[in-house]
Amino acid sequence: MEALVSIILPIYRVEKYLGRAIDSCLSQTYSHLEIILVDDGSDDSCGEICDTYAKKDARIRVIHKENGGLSDARNAGLDVATGDYIAFVDSDDYIAPDFIESLLCCIREEDADLALCSYVTTEDDGLKLSVFEPLKEAVGKEEHIADGEREVSDSRTLLNNLYDRNHRDATYFIVAWNKLYKAELWKEIRFPKGKIHEDEAIMHEVFDRANKGVYLRRKLYAYYQMPGSITRGSFQMKRLDWLDALDKRVAYFEEKGDEEQVRSAKEARANGAIHYYYRLKDAFPGEVEQLKRLKGYVKEGRKASDRKVGYTAFLLSPFFYRTATCVERDDKERLYQLLYSMILIFTALLCLYKLGVKYVDPWDEARHGVNAYEMLRSGNLIKSTYLYETDYYNLKPMLSMWLIMAFMKVLGPGVIALRLPSVCCYLLLCVLVGNFVRNRYGRVPALFSMMFLAANTTPFLAHMVRSGDADSLYVLLFSVAMMEMIRLKERPDKLWVCGLMFSLAFLTKSFHAGIIALIGIVFLIGSGVIRKIKVKHWVGFFVSTLAPVGIWAILRYRTDGTQFFRTMWETDVMGRTSAGFGSNEAGFGYYFSYYLGRMSGELQVYLVALVLLLLGMVLALRKNGGLKALKNSDVLGF
């Protein structure tokens, strides 16, 4: 007696394509079929189409059920299937006329439990049998494969073929719908309800039960590329079901004690976690717990894998890993990464070019150099000295001096060790600003922001980027504080970071740090973010703010009592405040002429960069719906 084959079609809102799928099943050269149409509560005309076909052909059975998703619909078909063999066809896809006959022939001739075929992706709405034309022989490749070639695998090999590193066509093994199975393989196996990537969750169990499988290298299945579906459209949280499926695979083989398959599954899960980490971070940056979960998978993958370098690099810095590998990049993103790298390299050249040639500035730079050198020589990390006497002229706390001391310890005393910390701080600032703007506003604003920093001549010519004083470190700390402040609306628990940055900025340039506190108060009240901040957040803020400053104050008091604090208050705070804007007697307009003209030569580069930045912001706003695209707290923050 001829074997009965059950073909299960889960159906939901596919009235445009359903006839094509059913017709391809009815047109099979192997005719002893049971075609099970599962109407999964579709609210279009799919139910009526199914009933109409059932009246025309007795081989068709129709199930009408409440909507439960693709997995639930397939399970409903499995529950009623009576065939000796099972096949799944998605209702927007279609199969070649000899799909069943060819795969059944493979199973019988090789005494196998299942057979699978190649598939072709199509975006055409019609049924075109031309897509199933034979594969041309691969020419000039290491593996010479002709259409119709078979690959026979035992259970172990089938499991290994689920992974890209083991088989170039791993995707063909993962999916459920390009296969013909002996029905007995599906006893007690069902798809997880309510999940996508449902194939990943169960295919390992099917392969583990099979004694032998056959891969037929022929295009017998047409996979329709429908725009906007969950698995093919923009990133959604449901995509993380893939990792849930791999969790299930890991647990399955852990229970069986199969260490080899556990390692393979954990490594695949780690690769998947990296794959989705950037998509999740770009689309849903507030999903912190999920991001931690993905990093946890990478840590487990590193333990299980022999290839630890890549995983370690990702865990140390996902940002730099993405930059170095271009993982998860479309063409636009790759272009962005190229331009980003070019701007950063150009900025680095501006910072480093003949860094040690320019004479040491006789004021702030020289003073900082002497302070750091003498503190290093004397081993005193708290009290700054000049000619080995307590310095009451340079009244800045010691953080920037510590940084210079660290470089002197590594490179030895000299101009390069004096200035390189400022270079590093500015380059780090460029990276952090570019990353912040990219994640929050997009590629174009990020590039303009980095161009702005590269074209800003003042930091390069005045006492900041190429100079051994505190300004570059202070600007870095100030900027991090401001960026975290802008993000407080989504992450009020990060208020402690703002406090820590304020504290470190105070320990760099105490007088200037007050501006952070002033801006912070205005921002929290004006944006309404203050209403989101809970008591525990305030506790963290005050601890992170007061602890570093308090420890320094106690240690400084033990060196010379209150004299340093009194001098700092009288000279640095009250004295400089009353001397004019920023202690410059030229007044408020000094900075505008300084920035926009005098430091830039005939071509006012900084002014040009400013205009380009503003133009870029306008274009970005127009593209994203005007001012509404920016949150009110962001506008106030800037």
Side-chain angles (χ1 to χ4, degrees), residues 512-614:
H512 290 74
I515 195 69
I516 301 180
L518 182 61
I519 290 175
I521 293 170
V522 173
F523 174 78
L524 290 175
I525 296 174
S527 65
V529 172
I530 196 170
R531 292 192 295 270
K532 286 192 169 187
I533 299 176
K534 300 177 181 178
V535 173
K536 62 180 181 180
H537 300 149
W538 284 118
V539 171
F541 169 79
F542 284 115
V543 170
S544 64
T545 300
L546 298 177
V549 175
I551 293 171
W552 167 76
I554 293 171
L555 294 174
R556 181 74 216 202
Y557 176 80
R558 294 180 62 183
T559 64
D560 56 354
T562 62
Q563 185 172 352
F564 182 86
F565 302 125
R566 286 187 287 106
T567 308
M568 184 175 69
W569 176 261
E570 294 169 359
T571 304
D572 223 13
V573 179
M574 299 305 297
R576 296 185 72 178
T577 302
S578 61
F581 185 73
S583 78
N584 290 291
E585 292 76 5
F588 186 78
Y590 165 81
Y591 281 97
F592 291 91
S593 62
Y594 193 63
Y595 283 138
L596 302 182
R598 295 179 183 175
M599 298 297 291
S600 304
E602 293 182 5
L603 177 62
Q604 299 180 4
V605 180
Y606 187 84
L607 180 57
V608 172
L610 180 60
V611 171
L612 288 175
L613 177 63
L614 293 174

Side-chain angles (χ1 to χ4, degrees), residues 451-467:
M451 287 168 59
F452 182 75
L453 291 171
N456 184 349
T457 55
T458 302
F460 295 101
L461 298 178
H463 56 158
M464 185 176 159
V465 180
R466 295 166 56 83
S467 177

Side-chain angles (χ1 to χ4, degrees), residues 373-523:
Y373 176 74
E374 293 187 359
M375 291 173 74
L376 186 65
R377 285 287 302 272
S378 65
N380 189 334
L381 299 179
I382 302 300
K383 183 174 70 171
S384 57
T385 63
Y386 189 78
L387 299 180
Y388 295 100
E389 297 289 337
T390 305
D391 190 358
Y392 293 114
Y393 179 84
N394 184 7
L395 296 165
K396 297 178 181 68
M398 73 300 153
L399 196 61
S400 61
M401 300 168 199
W402 280 4
L403 192 58
I404 296 171
M405 290 164 63
F407 276 76
M408 284 184 173
K409 190 75 174 175
V410 175
L411 302 175
V415 176
I416 296 297
L418 175 63
R419 292 172 174 165
L420 197 56
S422 294
V423 169
C424 294
C425 288
Y426 198 72
L427 291 176
L428 181 57
L429 172 69
C430 293
V431 170
L432 293 177
V433 168
N435 193 30
F436 171 80
V437 177
R438 165 67 181 88
N439 290 336
R440 203 165 182 87
Y441 309 112
R443 302 181 184 101
V444 174
L447 292 175
F448 273 112
S449 298
M450 295 188 67
M451 287 168 59
F452 182 75
L453 291 171
N456 184 349
T457 55
T458 302
F460 295 101
L461 298 178
H463 56 158
M464 185 176 159
V465 180
R466 295 166 56 83
S467 177
D469 64 17
D471 286 52
S472 198
L473 175 60
Y474 172 77
V475 170
L476 172 63
L477 297 170
F478 181 94
S479 300
V480 173
M482 293 300 103
M483 289 186 286
E484 288 300 327
M485 205 168 288
I486 289 172
R487 284 192 281 227
L488 281 179
K489 189 170 185 178
E490 298 89 28
R491 296 294 311 276
D493 59 308
K494 292 295 184 180
L495 183 64
W496 71 269
V497 178
C498 298
L500 179 62
M501 291 303 106
F502 167 75
S503 181
L504 296 179
F506 179 89
L507 294 176
T508 303
K509 297 187 75 167
S510 55
F511 165 62
H512 290 74
I515 195 69
I516 301 180
L518 182 61
I519 290 175
I521 293 170
V522 173
F523 174 78

